[in-house]
Structures are given as structure tokens and as C-alpha cells.
Amino acid sequence: MRIFGRTAELAALEEEWARAARGEFRGVLLLGDAGIGKSRLAAAVLERHFDEALGLGARARRTSSAGWSSGRSTTTRCGG
């Protein structure tokens, strides 16, 4: 998967991946407006590390003026 214009973001995610691979507990939260490529960015990193990845996903949705609620979450074992 090719990602354009997100070199800094990919580098930051790859650094977090490397730190987690060294045994550090790491968590990453991608925030931004709808349609800017958060899911695609996460998918690109998971694709690079397919055999070692445990993909965690969640979505939130606006519920009204009250704010946000959790939508759905998933856990996927990506590779062997």
C-alpha cells in the first residue's frame, strides 16, 4: 500500500512499532477529521508488519450534541 504525503506520520508509527518490538508497552491513537486517511495509515503499518501484528481497531461516532460514543471495536491476529 502506498501512502503519499505522510512521511512524518509513518516514521512516528514505525518508531512506536520498533519500541513495542523491543518490549515497551506502546499505544497509539490516531485522531483527525473523517476522510483524512487515519485507517489507511494504520493499515499501511499493519501490512508492513503482517506476520507479527495484532491489529486493534475502534471507531467512534457522534451521538448528537451530547458528544461521542464508542461505535465498534475489533481485534485481529494478522499473521502467523
Side-chain angles (χ1 to χ4, degrees), residues 10-27:
L10 276 172
L13 288 172
E14 288 292 341
E15 175 58 26
E16 292 303 309
W17 190 278
R19 292 176 74 178
R22 291 191 301 267
E24 295 181 36
F25 177 76
R26 308 307 297 168

Side-chain angles (χ1 to χ4, degrees), residues 19-66:
R19 292 176 74 178
R22 291 191 301 267
E24 295 181 36
F25 177 76
R26 308 307 297 168
V28 176
L29 178 63
L30 301 177
L31 295 173
D33 293 331
I36 66 168
K38 299 175 300 293
S39 296
R40 188 173 172 115
L41 190 62
V45 173
L46 288 175
E47 183 179 280
R48 291 178 186 189
H49 301 282
F50 185 79
D51 288 335
E52 56 192 295
L54 175 64
L56 303 174
R59 295 191 183 269
R61 58 185 166 81
R62 187 173 287 278
T63 58
S64 70
S65 61

